[in-house]
Amino acid sequence: MKKTGTYQFASKPSIVSTAVSVGPLEKVSPFHPHFDFIYEDERIGQETNEKGHSQLIEDTCNMAVTKGGFQLQDIDLLLAGDLVNEMTPTNFAARQLATPFMGMFSACATSVSSLITASFFLETKLMDKVMFGAASQHNAVERQFRYPIEYGAQKPPTGQWTVTGGGYGILSHHQTGKPYVHSATIGQVMDCECTDPLDMGSAMAPAAFDTIQKHLAQNKGTSYDFVMTGDLGKNGFSILQELIKSSGVSSYLVDNYRDAGAEFYGNEEKFLSGASGAGCSATVYYGPIYAELLAGKWKKILLVATGALLSPLSFQQGETIPCIAHAVELSME
Amino acid sequence: MDAESYQKTVDQIAPKRPVLLNCMKAFLTGGIICAIGQLVSFVFMYFFSFTERTASNPSVATMVFLSMVLTGFGIYKKIGQFGGAGSAVPVTGFGNAVISAAIEHKSEGFILGVGVNMFKLAGPVIVYGVFSAFVVALIKTILVKMGVISW
Amino acid sequence: MMKKLWIISLILLGVAGCSEEFKVSTYHVDDDQQEIETLTKVFKDNQNLSEAAAVFFDHQLVVSVQVQQMSKFKKEKIRKSIEKKVKSAFPDHDVYVSSDLKITWELKKIIDEQPTTDELKKDLKKVKALAKEET
């Protein structure tokens, strides 16, 4: 039988602390009361965008450690990633943090893939505290994947805006009163022959749909408060809803679907279809959603981060955009 | 899920580009830019000793300078989002392409950053502009030699 | 209501812009009315012109013509035909015809100022030099 990639974590590892910081533009987000820190400067006071990106990661990781009442030397492992070439911002931040470190790359799904990996490490009991998360910086990512920032190219209504921000958390052994990882589904790469890099939402929707379907099939009868995808944007999210409607998945006990990218900037027209980037799902999941879980507002949620696995080279060579989605189910007792 | 039927779903749901509205916006934006260019050219003719023929060079330089300033202050990308081709086709769009790339790559130094990448976006315009001029000139030369047309 | 007013005023503006009257301004140092007549007739025969200016001076004839908006694409052709006609009408003159707006402005300036012979000589030299600049 084909493996579905769904795993349950019997030890129920808990997310004991999180920290989220964002750039100045993200102030307009309806989620902003839950962001721990909002920088006044897009470059975080550094000379280059990439240095700023690195600084943001370092600051946010430190914040997550301090908020949990730990110290950096308590961290067994840092699992993190970003979207810039060879992941230098994260690697450079890890140099400053000086904890054991492994880089993770699942494009914009890194926020969840790092949490899933951390859960496996915790399950082995070999580690006590694993830090996980992801970040992105608008200028650094845009210049790599698209045009220079100041270039006046018209973006279509399906275009998305890369978030400046990072979200990091610390996963530890089960603690009552903290949200824990119940189960997770490791997604498979899906390719529906989408080629437009300015319409990532429709490229990623099938991957999200596939992962959600697999996860829900393994957890029949479970009732979720909601299922939240990462950065499909308004367009990709309506396609996902259409896919769900036209399939049997709607019969599961989920009637509430949400998308972090579509909600991130509210209805500001400037951001077109919504937010994207590794920082989008990371900031929303480990900021407002974590806070609401902690406050007891939600009992059981499914977070599905989606990532488009393209590079500027691959789409210039006419390759399609393969996508991936990883799902993690968080519970609060 | 097969790719073909999925693409159909995407086409149904994805918001369409408002082509007609965009055309009108582009017409308006491009028209305004060109009107400003004409005004600049008249200024050069009226206050300096430039003729209609010779005023075009300093006018183009002035327009590129203006687009440089607008790009630096982050205004040109807003005009670009509104006007589309209307702001990309005039020479100001060319200026914007050169300058935005130069600003972007300043962090890698003046040789490997600015020098190497400045014409990253505008390069194709130069390459294919020169190439197509060559082809057209070649065709015309042949036609003239054959006596079909005269210079 | 406002919209209608806008449209009407736009149409009026368009009509007014198009039906601009054909103007000829000339300056003849020796005030030879017959020569001016002949030249004006050459201009009036061509339907595409919107404006013309000419200065006669010591067997030199500098002419500039502006064509109507819709004829701008045929500007060079019109200029050549005018040049041919003016040359045949004034075989003993050194004729120079330009279709450049700047030259029209310069000639009109001369016509307004009605300068003395010496100044005129200098001015015309300048205008001709200007017209010959290539880039």
Side-chain angles (χ1 to χ4, degrees), chain A residues 71-332:
Chain A
Q71 289 189 316
L72 269 175
Q73 59 253 40
D74 300 332
I75 303 297
D76 288 294
L77 177 65
L78 168 62
L79 284 167
D82 60 73
L83 302 172
V84 175
N85 279 340
E86 283 80 40
M87 271 174 19
T88 46
T90 303
N91 294 341
F92 286 16
R95 174 183 66 191
Q96 303 308 113
L97 295 165
T99 59
F101 165 70
M102 285 203 292
M104 298 282 299
F105 184 82
S106 313
C108 305
T110 311
S111 55
V112 166
S113 71
S114 60
L115 174 56
I116 295 173
T117 318
S119 306
F120 283 107
F121 284 126
L122 258 295
E123 194 73 10
T124 64
K125 311 264 188 227
L126 288 171
M127 292 183 183
D128 287 327
K129 288 180 186 65
V130 180
M131 187 143 69
F132 59 89
S136 56
Q137 204 260 5
H138 178 79
N139 291 1
V141 174
E142 286 288 313
R143 74 173 277 184
Q144 183 186 321
F145 283 94
R146 298 186 185 101
Y147 301 113
I149 304 298
E150 295 301 335
Y151 182 55
Q154 193 173 37
K155 282 188 183 172
T158 51
Q160 285 171 266
W161 187 277
T162 308
V163 167
T164 297
Y168 293 85
I170 295 168
L171 193 72
S172 189
H173 301 302
H174 187 71
Q175 275 180 30
T176 38
K178 299 275 186 189
Y180 65 88
V181 180
H182 172 271
S183 55
T185 297
I186 302 168
Q188 74 173 71
V189 178
M190 297 284 289
D191 194 335
C192 278
E193 290 175 22
C194 290
T195 47
D196 185 358
L198 287 172
D199 184 8
M200 306 279 236
S202 31
M204 294 191 291
F209 172 72
D210 184 62
T211 305
I212 292 171
Q213 199 178 28
K214 280 177 181 161
H215 191 90
L216 295 186
Q218 294 293 313
N219 292 275
K220 276 184 189 139
T222 316
S223 153
Y224 294 88
D225 288 307
F226 58 81
V227 172
M228 191 183 217
T229 46
D231 56 352
L232 296 179
K234 286 166 191 152
N235 175 40
F237 187 51
S238 30
I239 292 169
L240 175 69
Q241 282 174 315
E242 177 63 33
L243 291 175
I244 288 165
K245 220 193 299 169
S246 59
S247 73
V249 182
S250 50
S251 62
Y252 296 128
L253 295 170
V254 188
D255 38 31
N256 198 1
Y257 287 89
R258 296 173 67 184
D259 181 61
E263 290 178 34
F264 197 94
Y265 290 114
N267 279 323
E268 284 273 327
E269 261 184 43
K270 179 188 165 188
F271 301 103
L272 303 163
S273 193
S276 71
C280 170
S281 52
T283 50
V284 175
Y285 292 173
Y286 307 138
I289 301 299
Y290 178 77
E292 284 167 1
L293 276 170
L294 211 55
K297 193 173 173 189
W298 317 116
K299 292 285 165 230
K300 203 171 221 355
I301 56 170
L302 185 66
L303 302 177
V304 188
T306 45
L309 305 171
L310 83 167
S311 84
L313 190 71
S314 75
F315 86 79
Q316 278 165 7
Q317 291 178 339
E319 300 275 351
T320 54
I321 304 174
C323 293
I324 194 153
H326 298 299
V328 67
E329 186 178 321
L330 297 185
S331 293
M332 181 71 187

Side-chain angles (χ1 to χ4, degrees), chain A residues 43 47-50 139 142-144 146-158 161 190-196 198-199 201-206 209-210 235 238-239 242-243 270 272, chain B residues 1-4 6-7 9-10 12-18 22 25 70-85 87-88 93 96-97 100-101 103-105 107-108 120-121:
Chain A
R43 280 188 189 159
E47 292 159 52
T48 65
N49 294 318
E50 287 72 16
N139 291 1
E142 286 288 313
R143 74 173 277 184
Q144 183 186 321
R146 298 186 185 101
Y147 301 113
I149 304 298
E150 295 301 335
Y151 182 55
Q154 193 173 37
K155 282 188 183 172
T158 51
W161 187 277
M190 297 284 289
D191 194 335
C192 278
E193 290 175 22
C194 290
T195 47
D196 185 358
L198 287 172
D199 184 8
S202 31
M204 294 191 291
F209 172 72
D210 184 62
N235 175 40
S238 30
I239 292 169
E242 177 63 33
L243 291 175
K270 179 188 165 188
L272 303 163
Chain B
M1 197 181 327
D2 71 309
E4 214 167 292
Y6 178 66
Q7 289 301 333
T9 320
V10 170
Q12 274 167 16
I13 293 171
K16 303 280 170 294
R17 284 187 194 229
N22 279 356
K25 281 176 174 175
L70 290 177
T71 305
F73 284 109
I75 300 166
Y76 206 88
K77 65 178 171 201
K78 289 176 189 162
I79 301 174
Q81 181 62 29
F82 175 82
S87 66
N96 170 251
S100 63
I103 294 172
E104 185 92 359
H105 291 279
S107 63
E108 292 106 279
K120 190 168 78 167
L121 293 171

Side-chain angles (χ1 to χ4, degrees), chain B residues 12 26 42 67 77 92 106 116 119 146 150:
Chain B
Q12 274 167 16
F42 274 164
S67 95
K77 65 178 171 201
T92 48
K106 201 185 149 280
V116 170
F119 291 97
M146 283 164 64
S150 65

